[in-house]
């Protein structure tokens, strides 16, 4: 049985998503919890997109393949259906900075990583006084931001482009991405960016934010964003902003009948080892 698990986590005290020896990671905690609850030696999960140290998630999606009888046995004497019991028991074992939001049997052809059609992140900035209760999830910015200027710059970045200027390039990996949405809006005292793309290369979201924040405080004109993009080479004047303002909000998938075809198409496009994520 392939199981889809939807997760939320506070990335503050994790060394990112990916399992690393002797370090506390989200993947490490989730796999350990699954192995405990299912009573199996190990339970390897695949995620929709790796997040780096300090990056949070409300809508991370993973899948895990387990034997049907292991799922049934893990329910024990519970009167709940096996997957409902698994959901409850996982949250009983996991630390409080990770919560399972949903557990369900995955449709045929589902792959948490390769079936995804887009990932949506939010980046939150306080350009006034930061509420100390949200300081681990919001970037404090010392100067007022002009969101109209930022949105003018952002508009020139939307579409399919080579985002080499905004990525930490990996040998042999493509930096071409389809940026589907990039805009800023006010939410109370915060300036919040919505960033949605088919996938992200490393540091892409945080570099885009650094470029637009520079525009927003008036140090560069809105046309600078397009100039940086056109150069197609990493620009040292573009700051990679801190990770704690960034949250993976949602992952989009096609209709069930299209999941397998989407996964196959994505595998052909992606370089082996390349992760559709940002950090």
């Amino acid at each position: 049985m392939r199981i889809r698990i939807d997760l939320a986590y506070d990335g503050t005290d994790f060394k990112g998503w990916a399992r690393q020896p002797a370090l506390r990671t989200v993947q490490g905690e989730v796999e350990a919890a699954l192995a405990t609850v299912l009573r199996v030696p190990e339970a390897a999960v695949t995620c929709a997109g790796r997040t780096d140290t300090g990056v949070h998630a409300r809508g991370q999606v993973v899948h895990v393949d387990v034997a049907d009888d292991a799922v049934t046995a893990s329910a024990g004497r519970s009167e709940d259906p096996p997957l409902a019991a698994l959901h409850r028991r996982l949250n009983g074992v996991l630390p409080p900075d990770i919560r399972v939001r949903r557990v369900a049997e995955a449709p045929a052809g589902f792959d948490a990583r390769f079936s995804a059609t887009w990932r949506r992140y939010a980046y939150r900035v306080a350009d006034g006084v930061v509420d100390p209760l949200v300081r681990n999830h919001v970037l404090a910015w010392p100067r007022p931001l002009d969101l109209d200027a930022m949105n003018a710059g952002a508009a020139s970045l939307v579409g399919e482009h080579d985002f080499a200027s905004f990525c930490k390039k990996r040998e042999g990996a493509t930096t071409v991405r389809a940026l589907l949405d990039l805009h800023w809006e006010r939410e109370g005292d915060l300036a919040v960016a919505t960033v949605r793309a088919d996938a992200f290369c490393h540091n892409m979201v945080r570099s885009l934010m650094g470029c637009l924040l520079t525009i927003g405080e008036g140090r560069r004109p809105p046309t600078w964003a397009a100039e940086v993009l056109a150069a197609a080479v990493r620009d040292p004047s573009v700051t990679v902003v801190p990770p704690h303002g960034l949250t993976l909000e949602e992952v989009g998938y096609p209709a069930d009948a299209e999941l397998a075809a989407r996964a196959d198409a994505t595998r052909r496009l992606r370089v082996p080892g390349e992760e559709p994520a940002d950090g």
Side-chain angles (χ1 to χ4, degrees), residues 175-234:
T175 50
V176 174
R177 294 291 186 271
L179 186 59
L180 305 172
D181 186 18
L182 176 56
H183 71 272
W184 290 82
E185 58 189 354
R186 288 283 176 188
E187 292 184 6
D189 296 331
L190 303 179
V192 181
T194 293
V195 192
R196 187 169 65 95
D198 61 341
F200 295 94
C201 44
H202 195 225
N203 283 347
M204 179 175 162
V205 174
R206 291 196 282 143
S207 296
L208 291 169
M209 297 300 99
C211 173
L212 296 176
L213 287 169
T214 298
I215 292 170
E217 66 177 15
R219 289 193 289 128
R220 298 275 191 168
T223 53
W224 185 57
E227 293 168 5
V228 172
L229 178 69
V233 63
R234 190 75 178 92

Side-chain angles (χ1 to χ4, degrees), residues 28 106 122 127-129 166 170 178 226 249 258 273:
D127 55 348
V129 177
F166 297 98
R170 293 174 175 173
E249 296 283 351
E258 301 170 13

Side-chain angles (χ1 to χ4, degrees), residues 31 43 64 70 98 107 117 136 142 184 196 205-206 222 234 239 241:
E31 291 182 343
V64 59
I98 305 177
T117 53
N136 290 329
W184 290 82
R196 187 169 65 95
V205 174
R206 291 196 282 143
R234 190 75 178 92
T239 301
V241 295

Side-chain angles (χ1 to χ4, degrees), residues 19 24 47 77 79 130 212 243:
R19 183 193 323 107
R24 185 173 188 255
C47 72
R77 297 180 180 178
E79 295 181 358
V130 182
L212 296 176

Side-chain angles (χ1 to χ4, degrees), residues 48-80:
R50 294 184 180 186
T51 51
D52 266 358
T53 299
V55 177
H56 317 290
R58 279 197 184 89
Q60 178 68 276
V61 180
V62 307
H63 77 247
V64 59
D65 294 326
V66 297
D68 292 16
D69 56 358
V71 177
T72 302
S74 70
R77 297 180 180 178
S78 172
E79 295 181 358
D80 294 332

